[in-house]
Amino acid sequence: MRIGLMGTGRIGSFHAEVLARHPAVDSLVLADADAVRAAELAERVGAEFAPAEDLLGAGLDAVVIASATAAHAGQIALAAHAGLPVFCEKPIAVDLPGTLAALRAVEAAGTVLQLGFMRRFDAGYAAARDRVRAGELGRLHTVRTVSSDATPPPAAYLPLSGGLYRDCLVHDFDILRWVTGREVVEVYAVGSAAGPAMFAAAGDVATAAVVLTLDDGALATATATRCNGAGYDVRMELAGELDQLAVGLDDRTPITSTQPLGPPAPAKPWAGFLERFAPAYEAELDAFLHVVRGERANPCDGREALQALRVAEACEVSRRERRAVRVAEIPGGEPA
């Protein structure tokens, strides 16, 4: 297959290396708004370079989008009009109108859109899903998720990110739905900009906490922070009437027990998302190539991503208005 990749920043460079060595990819074409960066990466991984405006005319079988968030929706629509299957890093857009417009373009063209929620391809989350769905935990009553970045992103990134709920916690909202098989019906969200002044300046928060009610009455909490000096910490705990499970708890989890017989501090805590989820990122691209060849169903289509964004949008309303918000208040829940 001949695959085009738009965006050659941090995650785009990772995807380029994965695609360049994948046995199903015969040729890879890289493009970016920064043409010099794209050309240099193309030479390094043995790919072709194309100007960004020419990528969709390069005889492609599919497109991978890893560009800046603000460009996603427009690039998805252009690829759909060209009849090309698309893999896109989350989010589709930072707002609901942009997201819905891109989804309408994909549906009108009858093409494929797979979103990059990589946690669905992590071995720990997949095992938890299987055990929850098999009833091993009994009735699930409590879920807890943690998403903590070791260091804050650059200040220039914050105004473009969509905010902590849409940019970071959206992963927790997606994986909560995917593992449990339940929908979020109500949220109550709070956030704090305490910490580096750049968060308040961007109208964002550095730390957030959400209480979520699921459609079967189970309760979940989701916390996130940009400033976790111990390391990159992403975990999920699921508690039921028969048993409980933890995802993301291993000898590199950046947490220290104070119990006399507890585990020691990790010798090498996780430093960031690319290191922690590298196998999952590779697996989601492999899945996309199988989807393009018609060998499997789409594991995370645009409508799935929309539901996670609607939860994030409800959190923004809740934080702003200091009230519980029903997800049904957020547009976009109607069937396609």
Side-chain angles (χ1 to χ4, degrees), residues 97-124:
T99 299
L100 292 168
L103 291 177
R104 284 193 293 269
V106 171
E107 289 160 2
T111 53
V112 170
L113 171 61
Q114 179 183 327
L115 261 290
F117 280 113
M118 78 291 186
R119 294 187 196 180
R120 294 185 177 213
F121 296 87
D122 178 75

mmCIF file with all atom_site columns, all heavy atoms in Angstrom, residues 97-124:
data_model
loop_
_atom_site.group_PDB
_atom_site.id
_atom_site.type_symbol
_atom_site.label_atom_id
_atom_site.label_alt_id
_atom_site.label_comp_id
_atom_site.label_asym_id
_atom_site.label_entity_id
_atom_site.label_seq_id
_atom_site.pdbx_PDB_ins_code
_atom_site.Cartn_x
_atom_site.Cartn_y
_atom_site.Cartn_z
_atom_site.occupancy
_atom_site.B_iso_or_equiv
_atom_site.pdbx_formal_charge
_atom_site.auth_seq_id
_atom_site.auth_comp_id
_atom_site.auth_asym_id
_atom_site.auth_atom_id
_atom_site.pdbx_PDB_model_num
ATOM 1   N N   . PRO A 1 97  ? -18.890 21.794 16.568 1.00 0.00 ? 97  PRO A N   1
ATOM 2   C CA  . PRO A 1 97  ? -19.229 22.092 15.170 1.00 0.00 ? 97  PRO A CA  1
ATOM 3   C C   . PRO A 1 97  ? -18.191 21.566 14.184 1.00 0.00 ? 97  PRO A C   1
ATOM 4   O O   . PRO A 1 97  ? -18.547 20.986 13.151 1.00 0.00 ? 97  PRO A O   1
ATOM 5   C CB  . PRO A 1 97  ? -19.299 23.625 15.152 1.00 0.00 ? 97  PRO A CB  1
ATOM 6   C CG  . PRO A 1 97  ? -19.670 24.002 16.542 1.00 0.00 ? 97  PRO A CG  1
ATOM 7   C CD  . PRO A 1 97  ? -18.957 23.015 17.414 1.00 0.00 ? 97  PRO A CD  1
ATOM 8   N N   . GLY A 1 98  ? -16.905 21.744 14.492 1.00 0.00 ? 98  GLY A N   1
ATOM 9   C CA  . GLY A 1 98  ? -15.863 21.235 13.605 1.00 0.00 ? 98  GLY A CA  1
ATOM 10  C C   . GLY A 1 98  ? -15.873 19.727 13.526 1.00 0.00 ? 98  GLY A C   1
ATOM 11  O O   . GLY A 1 98  ? -15.676 19.140 12.448 1.00 0.00 ? 98  GLY A O   1
ATOM 12  N N   . THR A 1 99  ? -16.118 19.077 14.664 1.00 0.00 ? 99  THR A N   1
ATOM 13  C CA  . THR A 1 99  ? -16.173 17.624 14.698 1.00 0.00 ? 99  THR A CA  1
ATOM 14  C C   . THR A 1 99  ? -17.326 17.101 13.853 1.00 0.00 ? 99  THR A C   1
ATOM 15  O O   . THR A 1 99  ? -17.165 16.184 13.039 1.00 0.00 ? 99  THR A O   1
ATOM 16  C CB  . THR A 1 99  ? -16.324 17.135 16.154 1.00 0.00 ? 99  THR A CB  1
ATOM 17  O OG1 . THR A 1 99  ? -15.187 17.556 16.913 1.00 0.00 ? 99  THR A OG1 1
ATOM 18  C CG2 . THR A 1 99  ? -16.453 15.620 16.215 1.00 0.00 ? 99  THR A CG2 1
ATOM 19  N N   . LEU A 1 100 ? -18.509 17.692 14.038 1.00 0.00 ? 100 LEU A N   1
ATOM 20  C CA  . LEU A 1 100 ? -19.692 17.225 13.317 1.00 0.00 ? 100 LEU A CA  1
ATOM 21  C C   . LEU A 1 100 ? -19.556 17.476 11.814 1.00 0.00 ? 100 LEU A C   1
ATOM 22  O O   . LEU A 1 100 ? -19.978 16.642 11.003 1.00 0.00 ? 100 LEU A O   1
ATOM 23  C CB  . LEU A 1 100 ? -20.937 17.911 13.868 1.00 0.00 ? 100 LEU A CB  1
ATOM 24  C CG  . LEU A 1 100 ? -21.310 17.495 15.301 1.00 0.00 ? 100 LEU A CG  1
ATOM 25  C CD1 . LEU A 1 100 ? -22.381 18.423 15.872 1.00 0.00 ? 100 LEU A CD1 1
ATOM 26  C CD2 . LEU A 1 100 ? -21.784 16.048 15.332 1.00 0.00 ? 100 LEU A CD2 1
ATOM 27  N N   . ALA A 1 101 ? -18.932 18.595 11.441 1.00 0.00 ? 101 ALA A N   1
ATOM 28  C CA  . ALA A 1 101 ? -18.745 18.878 10.018 1.00 0.00 ? 101 ALA A CA  1
ATOM 29  C C   . ALA A 1 101 ? -17.824 17.840 9.377  1.00 0.00 ? 101 ALA A C   1
ATOM 30  O O   . ALA A 1 101 ? -18.085 17.367 8.262  1.00 0.00 ? 101 ALA A O   1
ATOM 31  C CB  . ALA A 1 101 ? -18.164 20.283 9.836  1.00 0.00 ? 101 ALA A CB  1
ATOM 32  N N   . ALA A 1 102 ? -16.754 17.471 10.066 1.00 0.00 ? 102 ALA A N   1
ATOM 33  C CA  . ALA A 1 102 ? -15.839 16.459 9.532  1.00 0.00 ? 102 ALA A CA  1
ATOM 34  C C   . ALA A 1 102 ? -16.529 15.109 9.426  1.00 0.00 ? 102 ALA A C   1
ATOM 35  O O   . ALA A 1 102 ? -16.356 14.378 8.431  1.00 0.00 ? 102 ALA A O   1
ATOM 36  C CB  . ALA A 1 102 ? -14.599 16.363 10.415 1.00 0.00 ? 102 ALA A CB  1
ATOM 37  N N   . LEU A 1 103 ? -17.329 14.756 10.421 1.00 0.00 ? 103 LEU A N   1
ATOM 38  C CA  . LEU A 1 103 ? -18.041 13.479 10.376 1.00 0.00 ? 103 LEU A CA  1
ATOM 39  C C   . LEU A 1 103 ? -19.047 13.446 9.233  1.00 0.00 ? 103 LEU A C   1
ATOM 40  O O   . LEU A 1 103 ? -19.206 12.413 8.566  1.00 0.00 ? 103 LEU A O   1
ATOM 41  C CB  . LEU A 1 103 ? -18.744 13.220 11.709 1.00 0.00 ? 103 LEU A CB  1
ATOM 42  C CG  . LEU A 1 103 ? -17.839 12.928 12.905 1.00 0.00 ? 103 LEU A CG  1
ATOM 43  C CD1 . LEU A 1 103 ? -18.662 12.762 14.169 1.00 0.00 ? 103 LEU A CD1 1
ATOM 44  C CD2 . LEU A 1 103 ? -16.992 11.686 12.649 1.00 0.00 ? 103 LEU A CD2 1
ATOM 45  N N   . ARG A 1 104 ? -19.717 14.563 8.995  1.00 0.00 ? 104 ARG A N   1
ATOM 46  C CA  . ARG A 1 104 ? -20.666 14.608 7.879  1.00 0.00 ? 104 ARG A CA  1
ATOM 47  C C   . ARG A 1 104 ? -19.939 14.421 6.547  1.00 0.00 ? 104 ARG A C   1
ATOM 48  O O   . ARG A 1 104 ? -20.457 13.750 5.635  1.00 0.00 ? 104 ARG A O   1
ATOM 49  C CB  . ARG A 1 104 ? -21.432 15.934 7.901  1.00 0.00 ? 104 ARG A CB  1
ATOM 50  C CG  . ARG A 1 104 ? -22.513 16.003 8.973  1.00 0.00 ? 104 ARG A CG  1
ATOM 51  C CD  . ARG A 1 104 ? -23.442 17.195 8.743  1.00 0.00 ? 104 ARG A CD  1
ATOM 52  N NE  . ARG A 1 104 ? -22.751 18.459 8.941  1.00 0.00 ? 104 ARG A NE  1
ATOM 53  C CZ  . ARG A 1 104 ? -22.704 19.103 10.104 1.00 0.00 ? 104 ARG A CZ  1
ATOM 54  N NH1 . ARG A 1 104 ? -23.303 18.603 11.173 1.00 0.00 ? 104 ARG A NH1 1
ATOM 55  N NH2 . ARG A 1 104 ? -22.068 20.265 10.203 1.00 0.00 ? 104 ARG A NH2 1
ATOM 56  N N   . ALA A 1 105 ? -18.741 14.991 6.429  1.00 0.00 ? 105 ALA A N   1
ATOM 57  C CA  . ALA A 1 105 ? -17.976 14.841 5.188  1.00 0.00 ? 105 ALA A CA  1
ATOM 58  C C   . ALA A 1 105 ? -17.593 13.384 4.965  1.00 0.00 ? 105 ALA A C   1
ATOM 59  O O   . ALA A 1 105 ? -17.679 12.865 3.843  1.00 0.00 ? 105 ALA A O   1
ATOM 60  C CB  . ALA A 1 105 ? -16.726 15.715 5.237  1.00 0.00 ? 105 ALA A CB  1
ATOM 61  N N   . VAL A 1 106 ? -17.180 12.697 6.028  1.00 0.00 ? 106 VAL A N   1
ATOM 62  C CA  . VAL A 1 106 ? -16.806 11.278 5.925  1.00 0.00 ? 106 VAL A CA  1
ATOM 63  C C   . VAL A 1 106 ? -18.017 10.439 5.560  1.00 0.00 ? 106 VAL A C   1
ATOM 64  O O   . VAL A 1 106 ? -17.963 9.554  4.689  1.00 0.00 ? 106 VAL A O   1
ATOM 65  C CB  . VAL A 1 106 ? -16.181 10.801 7.246  1.00 0.00 ? 106 VAL A CB  1
ATOM 66  C CG1 . VAL A 1 106 ? -15.998 9.281  7.249  1.00 0.00 ? 106 VAL A CG1 1
ATOM 67  C CG2 . VAL A 1 106 ? -14.834 11.484 7.478  1.00 0.00 ? 106 VAL A CG2 1
ATOM 68  N N   . GLU A 1 107 ? -19.143 10.706 6.221  1.00 0.00 ? 107 GLU A N   1
ATOM 69  C CA  . GLU A 1 107 ? -20.350 9.915  5.968  1.00 0.00 ? 107 GLU A CA  1
ATOM 70  C C   . GLU A 1 107 ? -20.887 10.168 4.553  1.00 0.00 ? 107 GLU A C   1
ATOM 71  O O   . GLU A 1 107 ? -21.344 9.237  3.883  1.00 0.00 ? 107 GLU A O   1
ATOM 72  C CB  . GLU A 1 107 ? -21.393 10.243 7.037  1.00 0.00 ? 107 GLU A CB  1
ATOM 73  C CG  . GLU A 1 107 ? -20.994 9.671  8.402  1.00 0.00 ? 107 GLU A CG  1
ATOM 74  C CD  . GLU A 1 107 ? -21.698 10.341 9.571  1.00 0.00 ? 107 GLU A CD  1
ATOM 75  O OE1 . GLU A 1 107 ? -22.548 11.236 9.325  1.00 0.00 ? 107 GLU A OE1 1
ATOM 76  O OE2 . GLU A 1 107 ? -21.391 9.995  10.717 1.00 0.00 ? 107 GLU A OE2 1
ATOM 77  N N   . ALA A 1 108 ? -20.808 11.416 4.091  1.00 0.00 ? 108 ALA A N   1
ATOM 78  C CA  . ALA A 1 108 ? -21.279 11.725 2.736  1.00 0.00 ? 108 ALA A CA  1
ATOM 79  C C   . ALA A 1 108 ? -20.418 11.046 1.681  1.00 0.00 ? 108 ALA A C   1
ATOM 80  O O   . ALA A 1 108 ? -20.916 10.597 0.638  1.00 0.00 ? 108 ALA A O   1
ATOM 81  C CB  . ALA A 1 108 ? -21.278 13.235 2.511  1.00 0.00 ? 108 ALA A CB  1
ATOM 82  N N   . ALA A 1 109 ? -19.110 10.938 1.959  1.00 0.00 ? 109 ALA A N   1
ATOM 83  C CA  . ALA A 1 109 ? -18.196 10.312 1.001  1.00 0.00 ? 109 ALA A CA  1
ATOM 84  C C   . ALA A 1 109 ? -18.193 8.794  1.101  1.00 0.00 ? 109 ALA A C   1
ATOM 85  O O   . ALA A 1 109 ? -17.711 8.106  0.194  1.00 0.00 ? 109 ALA A O   1
ATOM 86  C CB  . ALA A 1 109 ? -16.781 10.842 1.214  1.00 0.00 ? 109 ALA A CB  1
ATOM 87  N N   . GLY A 1 110 ? -18.726 8.263  2.207  1.00 0.00 ? 110 GLY A N   1
ATOM 88  C CA  . GLY A 1 110 ? -18.724 6.808  2.408  1.00 0.00 ? 110 GLY A CA  1
ATOM 89  C C   . GLY A 1 110 ? -17.342 6.239  2.649  1.00 0.00 ? 110 GLY A C   1
ATOM 90  O O   . GLY A 1 110 ? -17.085 5.067  2.341  1.00 0.00 ? 110 GLY A O   1
ATOM 91  N N   . THR A 1 111 ? -16.457 7.064  3.230  1.00 0.00 ? 111 THR A N   1
ATOM 92  C CA  . THR A 1 111 ? -15.092 6.608  3.486  1.00 0.00 ? 111 THR A CA  1
ATOM 93  C C   . THR A 1 111 ? -14.930 6.190  4.943  1.00 0.00 ? 111 THR A C   1
ATOM 94  O O   . THR A 1 111 ? -15.880 6.218  5.716  1.00 0.00 ? 111 THR A O   1
ATOM 95  C CB  . THR A 1 111 ? -14.074 7.706  3.133  1.00 0.00 ? 111 THR A CB  1
ATOM 96  O OG1 . THR A 1 111 ? -14.432 8.916  3.812  1.00 0.00 ? 111 THR A OG1 1
ATOM 97  C CG2 . THR A 1 111 ? -14.048 7.957  1.636  1.00 0.00 ? 111 THR A CG2 1
ATOM 98  N N   . VAL A 1 112 ? -13.706 5.825  5.306  1.00 0.00 ? 112 VAL A N   1
ATOM 99  C CA  . VAL A 1 112 ? -13.390 5.326  6.644  1.00 0.00 ? 112 VAL A CA  1
ATOM 100 C C   . VAL A 1 112 ? -12.618 6.386  7.419  1.00 0.00 ? 112 VAL A C   1
ATOM 101 O O   . VAL A 1 112 ? -11.708 7.023  6.876  1.00 0.00 ? 112 VAL A O   1
ATOM 102 C CB  . VAL A 1 112 ? -12.535 4.041  6.558  1.00 0.00 ? 112 VAL A CB  1
ATOM 103 C CG1 . VAL A 1 112 ? -11.990 3.654  7.931  1.00 0.00 ? 112 VAL A CG1 1
ATOM 104 C CG2 . VAL A 1 112 ? -13.359 2.903  5.969  1.00 0.00 ? 112 VAL A CG2 1
ATOM 105 N N   . LEU A 1 113 ? -12.979 6.577  8.680  1.00 0.00 ? 113 LEU A N   1
ATOM 106 C CA  . LEU A 1 113 ? -12.226 7.433  9.586  1.00 0.00 ? 113 LEU A CA  1
ATOM 107 C C   . LEU A 1 113 ? -11.969 6.663  10.879 1.00 0.00 ? 113 LEU A C   1
ATOM 108 O O   . LEU A 1 113 ? -12.914 6.298  11.580 1.00 0.00 ? 113 LEU A O   1
ATOM 109 C CB  . LEU A 1 113 ? -12.985 8.722  9.895  1.00 0.00 ? 113 LEU A CB  1
ATOM 110 C CG  . LEU A 1 113 ? -12.384 9.610  10.998 1.00 0.00 ? 113 LEU A CG  1
ATOM 111 C CD1 . LEU A 1 113 ? -10.991 10.086 10.625 1.00 0.00 ? 113 LEU A CD1 1
ATOM 112 C CD2 . LEU A 1 113 ? -13.305 10.802 11.310 1.00 0.00 ? 113 LEU A CD2 1
ATOM 113 N N   . GLN A 1 114 ? -10.702 6.404  11.181 1.00 0.00 ? 114 GLN A N   1
ATOM 114 C CA  . GLN A 1 114 ? -10.327 5.765  12.444 1.00 0.00 ? 114 GLN A CA  1
ATOM 115 C C   . GLN A 1 114 ? -9.597  6.788  13.299 1.00 0.00 ? 114 GLN A C   1
ATOM 116 O O   . GLN A 1 114 ? -8.667  7.444  12.850 1.00 0.00 ? 114 GLN A O   1
ATOM 117 C CB  . GLN A 1 114 ? -9.424  4.556  12.212 1.00 0.00 ? 114 GLN A CB  1
ATOM 118 C CG  . GLN A 1 114 ? -8.991  3.863  13.524 1.00 0.00 ? 114 GLN A CG  1
ATOM 119 C CD  . GLN A 1 114 ? -8.038  2.704  13.286 1.00 0.00 ? 114 GLN A CD  1
ATOM 120 O OE1 . GLN A 1 114 ? -8.131  2.022  12.267 1.00 0.00 ? 114 GLN A OE1 1
ATOM 121 N NE2 . GLN A 1 114 ? -7.119  2.487  14.212 1.00 0.00 ? 114 GLN A NE2 1
ATOM 122 N N   . LEU A 1 115 ? -10.029 6.929  14.560 1.00 0.00 ? 115 LEU A N   1
ATOM 123 C CA  . LEU A 1 115 ? -9.430  7.897  15.473 1.00 0.00 ? 115 LEU A CA  1
ATOM 124 C C   . LEU A 1 115 ? -8.374  7.243  16.361 1.00 0.00 ? 115 LEU A C   1
ATOM 125 O O   . LEU A 1 115 ? -8.519  6.076  16.757 1.00 0.00 ? 115 LEU A O   1
ATOM 126 C CB  . LEU A 1 115 ? -10.501 8.550  16.344 1.00 0.00 ? 115 LEU A CB  1
ATOM 127 C CG  . LEU A 1 115 ? -10.970 9.933  15.887 1.00 0.00 ? 115 LEU A CG  1
ATOM 128 C CD1 . LEU A 1 115 ? -9.872  10.968 16.108 1.00 0.00 ? 115 LEU A CD1 1
ATOM 129 C CD2 . LEU A 1 115 ? -11.403 9.920  14.433 1.00 0.00 ? 115 LEU A CD2 1
ATOM 130 N N   . GLY A 1 116 ? -7.368  8.025  16.704 1.00 0.00 ? 116 GLY A N   1
ATOM 131 C CA  . GLY A 1 116 ? -6.230  7.505  17.449 1.00 0.00 ? 116 GLY A CA  1
ATOM 132 C C   . GLY A 1 116 ? -6.397  7.535  18.954 1.00 0.00 ? 116 GLY A C   1
ATOM 133 O O   . GLY A 1 116 ? -5.671  8.262  19.651 1.00 0.00 ? 116 GLY A O   1
ATOM 134 N N   . PHE A 1 117 ? -7.293  6.750  19.478 1.00 0.00 ? 117 PHE A N   1
ATOM 135 C CA  . PHE A 1 117 ? -7.375  6.536  20.923 1.00 0.00 ? 117 PHE A CA  1
ATOM 136 C C   . PHE A 1 117 ? -6.553  5.282  21.254 1.00 0.00 ? 117 PHE A C   1
ATOM 137 O O   . PHE A 1 117 ? -7.063  4.170  21.308 1.00 0.00 ? 117 PHE A O   1
ATOM 138 C CB  . PHE A 1 117 ? -8.830  6.383  21.372 1.00 0.00 ? 117 PHE A CB  1
ATOM 139 C CG  . PHE A 1 117 ? -9.544  7.694  21.503 1.00 0.00 ? 117 PHE A CG  1
ATOM 140 C CD1 . PHE A 1 117 ? -10.576 8.025  20.648 1.00 0.00 ? 117 PHE A CD1 1
ATOM 141 C CD2 . PHE A 1 117 ? -9.182  8.606  22.488 1.00 0.00 ? 117 PHE A CD2 1
ATOM 142 C CE1 . PHE A 1 117 ? -11.241 9.242  20.759 1.00 0.00 ? 117 PHE A CE1 1
ATOM 143 C CE2 . PHE A 1 117 ? -9.839  9.824  22.611 1.00 0.00 ? 117 PHE A CE2 1
ATOM 144 C CZ  . PHE A 1 117 ? -10.875 10.137 21.736 1.00 0.00 ? 117 PHE A CZ  1
ATOM 145 N N   . MET A 1 118 ? -5.258  5.495  21.480 1.00 0.00 ? 118 MET A N   1
ATOM 146 C CA  . MET A 1 118 ? -4.317  4.378  21.551 1.00 0.00 ? 118 MET A CA  1
ATOM 147 C C   . MET A 1 118 ? -4.530  3.479  22.752 1.00 0.00 ? 118 MET A C   1
ATOM 148 O O   . MET A 1 118 ? -4.127  2.315  22.732 1.00 0.00 ? 118 MET A O   1
ATOM 149 C CB  . MET A 1 118 ? -2.871  4.893  21.511 1.00 0.00 ? 118 MET A CB  1
ATOM 150 C CG  . MET A 1 118 ? -2.333  5.459  22.797 1.00 0.00 ? 118 MET A CG  1
ATOM 151 S SD  . MET A 1 118 ? -3.139  7.017  23.248 1.00 0.00 ? 118 MET A SD  1
ATOM 152 C CE  . MET A 1 118 ? -2.162  7.495  24.681 1.00 0.00 ? 118 MET A CE  1
ATOM 153 N N   . ARG A 1 119 ? -5.171  3.979  23.822 1.00 0.00 ? 119 ARG A N   1
ATOM 154 C CA  . ARG A 1 119 ? -5.342  3.123  25.005 1.00 0.00 ? 119 ARG A CA  1
ATOM 155 C C   . ARG A 1 119 ? -6.170  1.881  24.689 1.00 0.00 ? 119 ARG A C   1
ATOM 156 O O   . ARG A 1 119 ? -6.035  0.859  25.363 1.00 0.00 ? 119 ARG A O   1
ATOM 157 C CB  . ARG A 1 119 ? -5.983  3.917  26.139 1.00 0.00 ? 119 ARG A CB  1
ATOM 158 C CG  . ARG A 1 119 ? -5.105  5.035  26.668 1.00 0.00 ? 119 ARG A CG  1
ATOM 159 C CD  . ARG A 1 119 ? -5.698  5.693  27.898 1.00 0.00 ? 119 ARG A CD  1
ATOM 160 N NE  . ARG A 1 119 ? -5.067  6.970  28.184 1.00 0.00 ? 119 ARG A NE  1
ATOM 161 C CZ  . ARG A 1 119 ? -5.383  7.768  29.186 1.00 0.00 ? 119 ARG A CZ  1
ATOM 162 N NH1 . ARG A 1 119 ? -6.353  7.414  30.031 1.00 0.00 ? 119 ARG A NH1 1
ATOM 163 N NH2 . ARG A 1 119 ? -4.765  8.925  29.363 1.00 0.00 ? 119 ARG A NH2 1
ATOM 164 N N   . ARG A 1 120 ? -7.021  1.955  23.677 1.00 0.00 ? 120 ARG A N   1
ATOM 165 C CA  . ARG A 1 120 ? -7.795  0.774  23.279 1.00 0.00 ? 120 ARG A CA  1
ATOM 166 C C   . ARG A 1 120 ? -6.898  -0.364 22.806 1.00 0.00 ? 120 ARG A C   1
ATOM 167 O O   . ARG A 1 120 ? -7.340  -1.511 22.742 1.00 0.00 ? 120 ARG A O   1
ATOM 168 C CB  . ARG A 1 120 ? -8.771  1.140  22.152 1.00 0.00 ? 120 ARG A CB  1
ATOM 169 C CG  . ARG A 1 120 ? -9.864  2.118  22.540 1.00 0.00 ? 120 ARG A CG  1
ATOM 170 C CD  . ARG A 1 120 ? -10.822 2.315  21.393 1.00 0.00 ? 120 ARG A CD  1
ATOM 171 N NE  . ARG A 1 120 ? -11.941 3.201  21.732 1.00 0.00 ? 120 ARG A NE  1
ATOM 172 C CZ  . ARG A 1 120 ? -13.168 3.081  21.251 1.00 0.00 ? 120 ARG A CZ  1
ATOM 173 N NH1 . ARG A 1 120 ? -13.446 2.113  20.395 1.00 0.00 ? 120 ARG A NH1 1
ATOM 174 N NH2 . ARG A 1 120 ? -14.115 3.927  21.602 1.00 0.00 ? 120 ARG A NH2 1
ATOM 175 N N   . PHE A 1 121 ? -5.641  -0.051 22.472 1.00 0.00 ? 121 PHE A N   1
ATOM 176 C CA  . PHE A 1 121 ? -4.721  -1.056 21.952 1.00 0.00 ? 121 PHE A CA  1
ATOM 177 C C   . PHE A 1 121 ? -3.643  -1.432 22.963 1.00 0.00 ? 121 PHE A C   1
ATOM 178 O O   . PHE A 1 121 ? -2.722  -2.180 22.645 1.00 0.00 ? 121 PHE A O   1
ATOM 179 C CB  . PHE A 1 121 ? -4.080  -0.545 20.658 1.00 0.00 ? 121 PHE A CB  1
ATOM 180 C CG  . PHE A 1 121 ? -5.076  -0.333 19.562 1.00 0.00 ? 121 PHE A CG  1
ATOM 181 C CD1 . PHE A 1 121 ? -5.754  0.866  19.442 1.00 0.00 ? 121 PHE A CD1 1
ATOM 182 C CD2 . PHE A 1 121 ? -5.376  -1.358 18.672 1.00 0.00 ? 121 PHE A CD2 1
ATOM 183 C CE1 . PHE A 1 121 ? -6.702  1.056  18.447 1.00 0.00 ? 121 PHE A CE1 1
ATOM 184 C CE2 . PHE A 1 121 ? -6.320  -1.183 17.679 1.00 0.00 ? 121 PHE A CE2 1
ATOM 185 C CZ  . PHE A 1 121 ? -6.984  0.023  17.560 1.00 0.00 ? 121 PHE A CZ  1
ATOM 186 N N   . ASP A 1 122 ? -3.766  -0.931 24.183 1.00 0.00 ? 122 ASP A N   1
ATOM 187 C CA  . ASP A 1 122 ? -2.837  -1.288 25.255 1.00 0.00 ? 122 ASP A CA  1
ATOM 188 C C   . ASP A 1 122 ? -3.242  -2.624 25.861 1.00 0.00 ? 122 ASP A C   1
ATOM 189 O O   . ASP A 1 122 ? -4.422  -2.876 26.113 1.00 0.00 ? 122 ASP A O   1
ATOM 190 C CB  . ASP A 1 122 ? -2.854  -0.196 26.325 1.00 0.00 ? 122 ASP A CB  1
ATOM 191 C CG  . ASP A 1 122 ? -1.960  -0.513 27.501 1.00 0.00 ? 122 ASP A CG  1
ATOM 192 O OD1 . ASP A 1 122 ? -0.734  -0.392 27.371 1.00 0.00 ? 122 ASP A OD1 1
ATOM 193 O OD2 . ASP A 1 122 ? -2.508  -0.906 28.553 1.00 0.00 ? 122 ASP A OD2 1
ATOM 194 N N   . ALA A 1 123 ? -2.279  -3.491 26.106 1.00 0.00 ? 123 ALA A N   1
ATOM 195 C CA  . ALA A 1 123 ? -2.573  -4.846 26.594 1.00 0.00 ? 123 ALA A CA  1
ATOM 196 C C   . ALA A 1 123 ? -3.321  -4.829 27.919 1.00 0.00 ? 123 ALA A C   1
ATOM 197 O O   . ALA A 1 123 ? -4.230  -5.637 28.147 1.00 0.00 ? 123 ALA A O   1
ATOM 198 C CB  . ALA A 1 123 ? -1.275  -5.637 26.730 1.00 0.00 ? 123 ALA A CB  1
ATOM 199 N N   . GLY A 1 124 ? -2.963  -3.914 28.819 1.00 0.00 ? 124 GLY A N   1
ATOM 200 C CA  . GLY A 1 124 ? -3.621  -3.868 30.120 1.00 0.00 ? 124 GLY A CA  1
ATOM 201 C C   . GLY A 1 124 ? -5.084  -3.470 30.026 1.00 0.00 ? 124 GLY A C   1
ATOM 202 O O   . GLY A 1 124 ? -5.956  -4.085 30.656 1.00 0.00 ? 124 GLY A O   1
#
